[in-house]
Amino acid sequence: MSTTNSAKHLPDDPPNDPDPAAATAAAAADADGRALRRMQFGWYINDWANAAFSATVLTVFLGPYLTTVAKDAADAAGNVHPLGLTIRAGSFFPYTVSFSVLLSVAVMLLTGTVADRTGRHKELMCGFAYVGSLATMGMFFLGGDRYLLGGALLVVANIAYAVSVALSYAYLPGLASPDERDKVSSKGWAYGYAGGGLLLIANLALFQGHDAFGLDSGTAVRICLASAGLWWALFTVVPMLRLPSRAGVAPAAPTATTATTAPGEPAAGSLRELGRTLRRMREHPLTLLYLAAFLCYNDGIQTVVSQASLYGSEELGMEQTSLVTAVLLVQVVAIGGALLLGRIAHRYGAKRTILGSLVGWVVTLALGYFMPAHQPAWFYALACMIGLVLGGSQALSRSLFSHLIPPGREAEYFSFYKVSDRGTSWMGPLVFGLAYQLTGSYRSAIISLLVFFVIGFVVLLKVPVRRAIEAVGNPVPERL
């Protein structure tokens, strides 16, 4: 009887041993998940590292300080003469930014092609990061009337920054599924603003208390500039350890993109590949249309960011402490803004959310034009408005573009994208500088940037994103 009952109830008893195949698959999935999170964290920290250059150097300290140095070197008419040219001292910084970007375009395109051709994305990304960080640390020696030294260091640092960040963007398609990409990109921007903001807090404390440290204001500014380079160098160690050498979604079989370059011919082979890339990009006109839209509106965004401190100090009469506080507000609010717009995009789609943010930029720019001088409270309110739309518009633009890239060509395409990304815009600073050159008014210069947002909005509105993603052979996310 007991034997019969035991046999009768055997099927209902739980198995003594788990399915080995299921256990192995679960363990492998768990390991893959941990590896992916490890890589994502390394990628987030890369934004944390390089955001110090954007926030402390480009956005806050270098513009007003380099302008002051240029004015100290100016002639009686208020002009300086770099390379034999005659320009207003107040236009030297925006002109130098434009010049650095024109040079960085060629370097980015060639380096992106080399990265996709050799698979050395991490080595190139970190190498340029350390070149940029060393040039930034060299800004400690910018003093007196050494405006040419400041311009040269800015050119080197901005080129290195542009190339390094373009290569980091190429990792995004391999770090998240199509439906998770907006979230991961937004989180990366949030990390960037958090890192840049944390360093700004320390720099603000140093600048405000420079007398207590026995420093004059100029020396304090130069220490702040150098600190951004040191921060950048230290935290770049994390992506060096956690990111794989190759970025993106590489084809399994060797191709022209993944093949190793023949010894002695890396440059020539990459130049030929760059020429093929330029020709192949014409096969994806919808991707190029999106790039045109991004080129327009993000040039406006980056010019507002890079010239805001100059506008605040020269036109609105803001003290250096107020400028740093305002940019710190931008950094803090942008963390929430990036995450908030990422959530909105999850519900309404990235394209609609970006279009809405561009409307917010137009309103913000108009309010900035009418902003009263010597009113820090109004300037802080403007900073909060900028922060609300800044992080989200850029994070979503990055993730949306990642869907429009043919697999295996991430670094090349993101090099084109980076032509107008953070700190690398050239048309906007050129228009800003020309407007000031012609009118002598920074208000005229700031309102001249409206054209970039209007044109970018109209062009983006015409991009059929779903068809563009299908055209390059990528899976289409649930919401666009």
Side-chain angles (χ1 to χ4, degrees):
M1 178 69 70
S2 61
T3 303
T4 305
N5 290 341
S6 174
K8 182 178 179 180
H9 288 90
L10 269 176
D12 295 329
D13 294 333
N16 292 327
D17 298 317
D19 184 356
T24 301
D30 185 57
D32 289 344
R34 287 196 304 270
L36 180 60
R37 289 190 295 272
R38 179 181 173 85
M39 288 188 293
Q40 287 175 345
F41 181 75
W43 191 69
Y44 297 153
I45 293 299
N46 192 64
D47 271 1
W48 171 286
N50 61 46
F53 174 76
S54 177
T56 292
V57 178
L58 288 181
T59 307
V60 181
F61 288 105
L62 188 59
Y65 186 72
L66 187 56
T67 300
T68 299
V69 173
K71 287 181 177 180
D72 289 341
D75 58 22
N79 297 320
V80 290
H81 308 275
L83 304 177
L85 302 173
T86 299
I87 63 173
R88 285 178 181 261
S91 294
F92 179 72
F93 175 69
Y95 282 166
T96 303
V97 172
S98 292
F99 178 69
S100 71
V101 174
L102 290 175
L103 292 180
S104 71
V105 171
V107 180
M108 279 192 296
L109 297 181
L110 181 59
T111 306
T113 304
V114 171
D116 282 336
R117 183 177 174 83
T118 64
R120 297 182 179 274
H121 294 80
K122 181 173 71 174
E123 291 83 353
L124 289 166
M125 180 187 78
C126 295
F128 275 97
Y130 280 110
V131 170
S133 65
L134 287 173
T136 306
M137 284 186 274
M139 291 177 185
F140 175 78
F141 301 101
L142 174 60
D145 59 356
R146 299 175 186 173
Y147 77 99
L148 287 176
L149 173 63
L153 291 173
L154 171 58
V155 168
V156 173
N158 211 21
I159 291 173
Y161 170 80
V163 176
S164 177
V165 173
L167 293 172
S168 75
Y169 286 3
Y171 279 92
L172 180 57
L175 294 175
S177 65
D179 288 315
E180 291 291 314
R181 215 163 285 173
D182 290 341
K183 177 183 176 181
V184 170
S185 183
S186 297
K187 192 172 181 180
W189 278 100
Y191 265 80
Y193 285 116
L198 185 60
L199 183 62
L200 268 182
I201 292 174
N203 285 332
L204 177 59
L206 173 65
F207 185 81
Q208 286 183 325
H210 64 267
D211 288 332
F213 294 103
L215 303 172
D216 59 63
S217 61
T219 302
V221 169
R222 291 188 286 113
I223 292 174
C224 291
L225 293 171
S227 73
L230 182 61
W231 179 282
W232 191 1
L234 287 175
F235 285 103
T236 296
V237 173
V238 178
M240 282 182 63
L241 296 176
R242 295 205 169 193
L243 290 176
S245 287
R246 182 163 185 86
V249 185
T255 65
T257 302
T258 60
T260 302
T261 312
E265 298 185 348
S270 296
L271 284 172
R272 288 193 296 270
E273 186 65 20
L274 175 59
R276 287 192 288 269
T277 297
L278 293 171
R279 290 191 295 271
R280 281 194 295 264
M281 287 188 75
R282 292 180 294 182
E283 300 173 4
H284 305 292
L286 298 180
T287 299
L288 292 180
L289 185 62
Y290 176 84
L291 269 177
F294 180 79
L295 179 70
C296 287
Y297 71 75
N298 205 53
D299 233 306
I301 292 174
Q302 295 312 315
T303 307
V304 172
V305 171
S306 65
Q307 307 303 321
S309 59
L310 183 61
Y311 179 72
S313 63
E314 298 295 321
E315 186 67 38
L316 302 181
M318 296 293 124
E319 299 292 336
Q320 187 73 49
T321 301
S322 297
L323 295 174
V324 176
T325 303
V327 175
L328 182 57
L329 279 173
V330 171
Q331 299 290 118
V332 173
V333 175
I335 298 172
L339 299 176
L340 174 62
L341 265 65
R343 288 180 175 273
I344 294 174
H346 183 71
R347 181 170 182 178
Y348 296 103
K351 179 182 174 180
R352 293 182 194 173
T353 308
I354 295 170
L355 289 171
S357 74
L358 295 183
V359 174
W361 274 108
V362 170
V363 173
T364 301
L365 203 62
L367 292 176
Y369 175 77
F370 293 106
M371 186 72 58
H374 307 289
Q375 297 291 329
W378 285 102
F379 193 60
Y380 297 156
L382 184 67
C384 290
M385 293 181 64
I386 291 175
L388 188 62
V389 292
L390 175 61
S393 59
Q394 294 184 312
L396 296 176
S397 296
R398 177 172 66 180
S399 59
L400 184 56
F401 182 66
S402 71
H403 297 290
L404 308 180
I405 302 173
R409 313 202 72 85
E410 291 80 16
E412 296 170 18
Y413 273 74
F414 267 118
S415 294
F416 283 92
Y417 177 91
K418 192 69 182 70
V419 167
S420 185
D421 198 11
R422 195 171 192 177
T424 61
S425 58
W426 67 275
M427 290 187 299
L430 182 61
V431 169
F432 186 92
L434 284 173
Y436 178 76
Q437 179 90 11
L438 295 173
T439 67
S441 168
Y442 283 107
R443 290 188 187 270
S444 298
I446 201 73
I447 203 65
S448 69
L449 303 177
L450 271 178
V451 65
F452 293 100
F453 294 99
V454 174
I455 294 176
F457 181 95
V458 172
V459 176
L460 179 60
L461 196 62
K462 295 180 177 295
V463 178
V465 175
R466 182 176 297 275
R467 187 147 51 92
I469 296 174
E470 293 172 345
V472 298
N474 286 329
V476 180
E478 182 179 350
R479 288 183 178 84
L480 290 171

